[in-house]
Amino acid sequence: MDELMWLTIGIAAVFILEACIYFYWNIWGNGSISTYINDGQRPHQTFKVLQTFKTSTQKIALVEVGEEIWVYSNGEIMFGTKQDENEYAEVIVHVPMAAAKDAKRVLIIGGGGGISVREALRYESLEEIIAVDIDAEMMDLGKRYDRLVSFNKGALNHHKVSTVIEDGRTYVERSLTTWDVIIVDIPEPTERCPSLGRLFSLEFYHELKEHLNPGGVLSIACSTVNLMPEYMWSIEKTLKECGFFTIPFHNFSNKTGVDWGYILASTLPLEPDDIQLKVTTPFLTEGRLRDVLVMPYYLMNKENQGMVQTDQNTVLLDIVKRETDV
């Protein structure tokens, strides 16, 4: 009887231990979906996790939300096959393409999803796009995952597009090429990836300046300015410190309530009225362009609060930590 009792207790203990390990792994530990999708970033409607995997730089989740695919990186939404993604891509690409003297050679840093590349391919004068992404798996998704390829219209496989797997700064520092338009569309630095600050620094902007053709421009993504206005103004102040002429612009998404900020930077003086669209796009009409180039009062009120980001400080990371607790 004692042997049977101890056998039963032993089996129960093993079961409880395995259950605890399972729940720890899948709810709190490394196997938890929360390590791939932050609680605050979960879709509000029914969703299905199609795939999760680790790459050399990040944790990726492919999530089906209705008819859309959302791509998560380290718990945060990176991009998706969504209408607001089309708006975002049109703004970050067509404003600098409209402002540049020429639009023949384009460099896109952070082009793994292929959506911004798709927009740049609208220009008949275009000769070459270099799309740089540090993550080979992310670039491969943009090239081969059918639902993303359908959304980006096969842009990363286009004959005018060359894809490069490398850190964006390292690629620019090694390159002897110059470009008409350079688009930097990368996430903000976080404690998980503080090194991203190197792609927003004064030193890197000097490198980009050396790689612009006469009349060339930069377009820099500045995150969600309704949450972090100082983030955008710090990027602009850094660009000005580098000697660029700058024009801030933004796009408020009626669907998500997010106001995305950007900075246009040029080596030559440039006014908003000088910017005229060269192609027709579904979202960014001439009327919408004027709205994009007019900064709302709540942002202009914070204009003088930016600081210069260098390789030696953590200006942008500090802003992100303070405003989002990331």
Side-chain angles (χ1 to χ4, degrees), residues 107-112 130-134 139 164-168 171:
L107 170 65
I108 300 177
I109 298 175
I130 305 294
V132 181
D133 200 293
I134 195 171
M139 188 74 82
V164 177
I165 307 302
E166 193 169 8
D167 169 73
Y171 175 76

Side-chain angles (χ1 to χ4, degrees), residues 141-215:
L141 281 177
K143 283 184 171 184
R144 307 185 193 284
Y145 186 63
D146 55 353
R147 294 173 73 172
L148 290 180
V149 172
S150 176
F151 192 71
N152 68 34
K153 297 184 179 179
L156 294 176
N157 300 308
H158 195 278
H159 69 276
K160 290 185 178 180
V161 178
S162 299
T163 58
V164 177
I165 307 302
E166 193 169 8
D167 169 73
R169 177 163 174 172
T170 302
Y171 175 76
V172 171
E173 289 173 343
R174 291 177 178 176
S175 178
L176 299 177
T177 304
T178 57
W179 293 278
D180 301 309
V181 175
I182 300 177
I183 297 167
V184 181
D185 185 14
I186 59 174
E188 60 270 12
T190 65
E191 286 189 306
R192 289 178 181 144
C193 195
S195 62
L196 282 168
R198 298 172 56 258
L199 280 85
F200 295 95
S201 71
L202 180 65
E203 293 84 351
F204 184 48
Y205 290 158
H206 276 297
E207 284 286 344
L208 293 180
K209 192 176 182 181
E210 293 298 315
H211 286 79
L212 278 178
N213 290 325

Side-chain angles (χ1 to χ4, degrees), residues 33 36-37 48-54 59-64 70-72 141 145:
I33 192 62
Y36 289 90
I37 305 175
K48 178 181 180 181
V49 179
L50 301 178
Q51 188 178 356
T52 61
F53 57 94
K54 294 180 182 179
K59 291 181 177 180
I60 299 293
L62 298 180
V63 180
E64 185 177 59
W70 295 10
V71 181
Y72 284 78
L141 281 177
Y145 186 63

Side-chain angles (χ1 to χ4, degrees), residues 45 70 142 145 168 221 224 237 250 277 324:
Q45 61 268 54
W70 295 10
Y145 186 63
T224 50
K237 189 166 185 177
H250 77 116
L277 293 175
T324 65

Side-chain angles (χ1 to χ4, degrees), residues 301-318:
N301 195 38
K302 301 277 188 178
E303 185 174 9
N304 296 320
Q305 297 186 17
M307 297 177 288
V308 175
Q309 169 77 49
T310 72
D311 284 348
Q312 287 72 47
N313 65 30
T314 56
V315 165
L316 296 182
L317 175 60
D318 292 343

Side-chain angles (χ1 to χ4, degrees), residues 85-100:
E85 203 69 54
N86 287 328
E87 296 179 10
Y88 177 94
E90 286 188 29
V91 172
I92 197 172
V93 171
H94 297 302
V95 171
M97 295 292 272

